[in-house]
């Protein structure tokens, strides 16, 4: 039923019509003919003449070009998890490789259902929702494009989509948001009034072990998770503060997934915890990093390069996307957000002063991908270095962990008070 080549017409006349329309669409696509309203017969199927897919395992965008405005509906199916896009009769005239599965999707099929309808079935690699599903007029007058922006969600949220949706919601797509093309997407949960939400990110996890202790051979992913759990528990004892973990156990999360989890949960802060190694085993102490296009020094540049390799360790391909899809990806932190990140870094270092050893110039910056949330102030805290025997002992000491957690909590409280005082 679902074929990747064009839908065959039953009559020679229909085949000639489809062929002619494809020629017309191709000419339109290269700008050799002007768009002419009414040039397609009302009974002819839609022509999907182009497609593209971009993104990663946190967010993925699909764009399909049509010769005219399509009506469509969106539905969710479980076991396995799929997104179904129902369309009127449609001829798919683009090469199959243009819509090859990637990112959040492990299989994509499309084709004719009957004489009056067609369907696109997106089989997902993990629970997914469409954060955006809309039709836009082509700026050059070549028809319309269907834009589908998918982002990962948890299993409970997907189950709710399946449970609450209606299968009678075919919608005229006039550029409206996804919530108007399907009733299945619930409004995101809002934090309680006054709650200050903090994402605590335990670096590494799963197949990505991170650094290895010089003496005990303890894996960095274990150290960071222990600190993250302790910090989250301590922060949640403070009135008006709600902290959560990006990962609660030994699982791999890509850098993009960590950032998206923070944003989906409306985090006002993102704190990523690490304990790296260095070739210079005499270097020890804590360091706080914020994001920047240009690294502050070689040590920061080298560390950012290693941390950014996390996805490749797990076999995730890092793809540089074309600029026209930058709106669905995570841009570099906006200037205002970066200023808040620097303020948080300074608050942490003020807490550590005379209490916790730090390296020289303890506030550094580089292009850490895990700090790229455009609207969440973010820091990466190197708690110490597992390559240094003295640091390693402290990193594994429960009493020292409690001290660090208390100082970080004080830093967050001061930062929050400053934000509130400034009307934030």
């Amino acid at each position: 039923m679902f074929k990747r080549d064009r839908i065959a017409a039953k009559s020679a006349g229909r085949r000639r019509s489809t062929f002619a329309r494809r020629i017309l669409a191709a000419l339109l696509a290269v700008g050799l003919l002007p768009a002419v309203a009414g040039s397609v017969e009302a009974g002819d199927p839609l022509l999907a003449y182009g497609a593209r897919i971009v993104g990663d395992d946190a967010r993925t965008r699909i764009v399909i070009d049509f010769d005219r405005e399509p009506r469509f509906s969106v539905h969710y199916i479980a076991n396995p998890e799929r997104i179904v896009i129902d369309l009127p009769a449609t001829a798919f005239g683009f090469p199959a490789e243009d819509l090859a599965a990637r990112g959040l999707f492990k299989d994509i099929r499309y084709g004719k259902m009957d004489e009056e309808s067609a369907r696109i079935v997106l089989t997902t690699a993990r629970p997914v929702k469409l954060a955006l599903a809309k039709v836009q007029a082509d700026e050059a007058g070549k028809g319309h494009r269907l834009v589908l922006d998918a982002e990962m969600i948890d299993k409970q949220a997907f189950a709710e989509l399946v449970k609450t949706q209606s299968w009678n919601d075919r919608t005229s797509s006039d550029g409206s948001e996804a919530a108007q093309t399907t009733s299945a997407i619930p409004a995101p949960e809002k934090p309680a009034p006054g709650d200050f939400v903090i994402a605590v990110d335990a670096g590494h996890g799963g197949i990505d072990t991170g650094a290895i202790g010089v003496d005990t051979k303890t894996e960095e992913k274990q150290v960071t998770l222990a600190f993250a759990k302790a910090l989250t528990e301590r922060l949640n004892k403070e009135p008006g503060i709600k902290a959560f973990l990006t990962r609660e156990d030994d699982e791999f999360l890509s850098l993009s997934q960590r950032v998206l989890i923070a944003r989906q949960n409306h985090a006002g802060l993102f704190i990523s915890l690490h304990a790296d190694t260095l070739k210079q085993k005499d270097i020890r102490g804590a360091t706080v990093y914020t994001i920047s296009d240009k690294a502050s020094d070689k040590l920061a540049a080298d560390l950012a390069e290693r941390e950014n390799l996390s996805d490749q360790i797990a076999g995730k391909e890092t793809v540089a996307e074309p600029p026209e899809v930058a709106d669905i990806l995570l841009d570099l932190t906006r200037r205002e957000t970066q200023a808040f990140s620097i303020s948080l870094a300074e608050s942490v270092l003020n807490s550590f002063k005379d209490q916790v050893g730090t390296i020289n110039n303890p506030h550094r910056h580089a292009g850490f991908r895990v700090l790229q949330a455009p609207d969440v102030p973010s820091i990466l805290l190197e708690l110490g270095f597992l390559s240094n025997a003295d640091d390693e002992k402290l990193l594994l000491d429960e009493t020292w962990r409690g001290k660090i957690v208390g100082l970080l909590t004080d830093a967050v409280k001061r930062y929050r008070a400053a934000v509130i005082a400034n009307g934030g």
Side-chain angles (χ1 to χ4, degrees):
M1 178 181 293
F2 298 111
K3 295 183 179 179
R4 299 181 185 269
D5 55 357
R6 63 182 179 89
I7 297 176
K10 288 190 174 182
S11 66
R14 176 59 59 86
R15 285 196 297 269
R16 287 192 298 271
S17 174
T18 301
F19 178 76
R21 288 172 54 248
R22 289 188 179 180
I23 293 296
L24 173 62
L27 292 174
L28 286 171
V30 297
L32 296 179
L33 285 179
V36 180
S39 60
V40 179
E41 296 178 11
D44 282 344
L46 292 166
L47 172 64
Y49 64 85
R52 49 211 173 274
I53 178 170
V54 294
D56 56 21
D57 61 356
R59 301 189 73 181
T60 304
R61 166 172 284 192
I62 291 174
V63 179
I64 301 176
D65 298 311
F66 290 86
D67 60 341
R68 59 193 190 276
E69 181 178 6
R71 293 170 61 89
F72 71 95
S73 61
V74 177
H75 303 101
Y76 298 87
I77 302 176
N79 301 318
E81 291 145 350
R82 287 157 289 168
I83 300 176
V84 171
I85 314 297
D86 280 325
L87 295 160
T90 301
F92 295 95
F94 51 80
E97 57 268 23
D98 289 356
L99 201 54
R102 63 168 291 179
L104 287 168
F105 303 114
K106 61 183 181 181
D107 186 57
I108 298 177
R109 296 172 183 265
Y110 46 86
K112 175 180 177 180
M113 292 293 288
D114 54 38
E115 291 302 315
E116 298 181 353
S117 66
R119 175 171 286 183
I120 302 170
V121 178
L122 309 170
T123 302
T124 66
R126 58 180 300 141
V128 164
K129 76 172 183 180
L130 291 184
L132 176 72
K134 64 187 294 185
V135 168
Q136 299 173 333
D138 183 84
E139 297 82 357
K142 299 174 183 175
H144 288 72
R145 66 175 68 97
L146 173 62
V147 181
L148 306 172
D149 278 357
E151 66 179 36
M152 67 173 195
I153 55 176
D154 59 35
K155 287 185 176 294
Q156 183 177 354
F158 187 86
E160 188 66 17
L161 292 179
V162 175
K163 179 180 177 182
T164 60
Q165 70 186 334
S166 167
W167 281 82
N168 299 311
D169 58 354
R170 175 156 296 186
T171 304
S172 177
S173 302
D174 55 1
S176 56
E177 296 297 323
Q180 293 177 295
T181 61
T182 173
S183 60
I185 300 176
E189 181 182 352
K190 299 288 185 182
D195 273 353
F196 192 60
V197 183
I198 303 168
V200 181
D201 177 55
H204 307 281
I207 193 173
D208 177 18
T209 60
I212 305 295
V214 64
D215 284 339
T216 66
K217 308 304 178 185
T218 302
E219 297 171 338
E220 181 183 2
K221 66 178 181 178
Q222 300 169 358
V223 174
T224 60
L225 185 58
F227 272 88
K229 287 182 175 180
L231 178 58
T232 300
E233 182 179 357
R234 178 66 179 81
L235 287 169
N236 281 328
K237 293 179 180 179
E238 295 295 326
I241 291 180
K242 181 183 294 183
F244 67 92
L245 294 162
T246 58
R247 69 176 179 95
E248 297 182 354
D249 50 29
D250 184 19
E251 69 170 316
F252 174 82
L253 289 175
S254 72
L255 301 174
S256 294
Q257 287 174 334
R258 295 170 188 270
V259 177
L260 184 58
I261 288 170
R263 300 185 72 212
Q264 285 180 331
N265 287 276
H266 314 288
L269 283 181
F270 179 87
I271 301 173
S272 189
L273 302 176
H274 292 259
D276 205 43
T277 59
L278 295 174
K279 291 181 180 179
Q280 306 94 319
K281 298 187 184 301
D282 58 323
I283 296 179
R284 61 174 303 197
T287 322
V288 183
Y289 292 91
T290 52
I291 196 168
S292 174
D293 288 322
K294 185 177 180 180
S296 57
D297 54 87
K298 188 175 187 304
L299 187 148
D302 290 346
L303 178 62
E305 183 178 3
R306 288 197 301 274
E307 296 296 348
N308 291 345
L309 287 175
S310 174
D311 290 356
Q312 295 185 29
I313 290 172
K316 301 288 184 182
E317 181 182 8
T318 301
V319 181
E321 302 296 355
E324 61 267 21
V325 300
D327 60 315
I328 69 157
L329 304 177
L330 299 169
D331 300 328
L332 287 177
T333 312
R334 292 194 302 264
R335 187 172 302 175
E336 182 180 13
T337 303
Q338 190 171 11
F340 281 112
S341 301
I342 293 171
S343 176
L344 174 61
E346 292 173 347
S347 182
V348 170
L349 290 175
N350 285 335
S351 276
F352 284 4
K353 188 175 182 180
D354 300 325
Q355 299 288 323
V356 176
T358 59
I359 68 171
N360 293 330
N361 303 316
H363 178 198
R364 305 191 181 204
H365 49 82
F368 293 91
R369 290 182 58 218
V370 78
L371 302 182
Q372 289 181 354
D375 50 1
V376 184
S378 307
I379 63 169
L380 186 149
L381 172 60
E382 284 286 348
L383 297 159
F385 294 100
L386 284 169
S387 49
N388 180 276
D390 293 325
D391 266 3
E392 182 183 16
K393 290 177 183 177
L394 291 177
L395 289 166
L396 300 180
D397 183 83
E398 189 174 348
T399 301
W400 191 80
R401 183 188 309 147
K403 179 180 179 179
I404 293 292
V405 163
L407 294 172
L408 285 173
T409 300
D410 290 342
V412 168
K413 289 167 64 178
R414 282 198 306 274
Y415 171 88
R416 179 192 178 214
V419 170
I420 293 175
N422 290 317

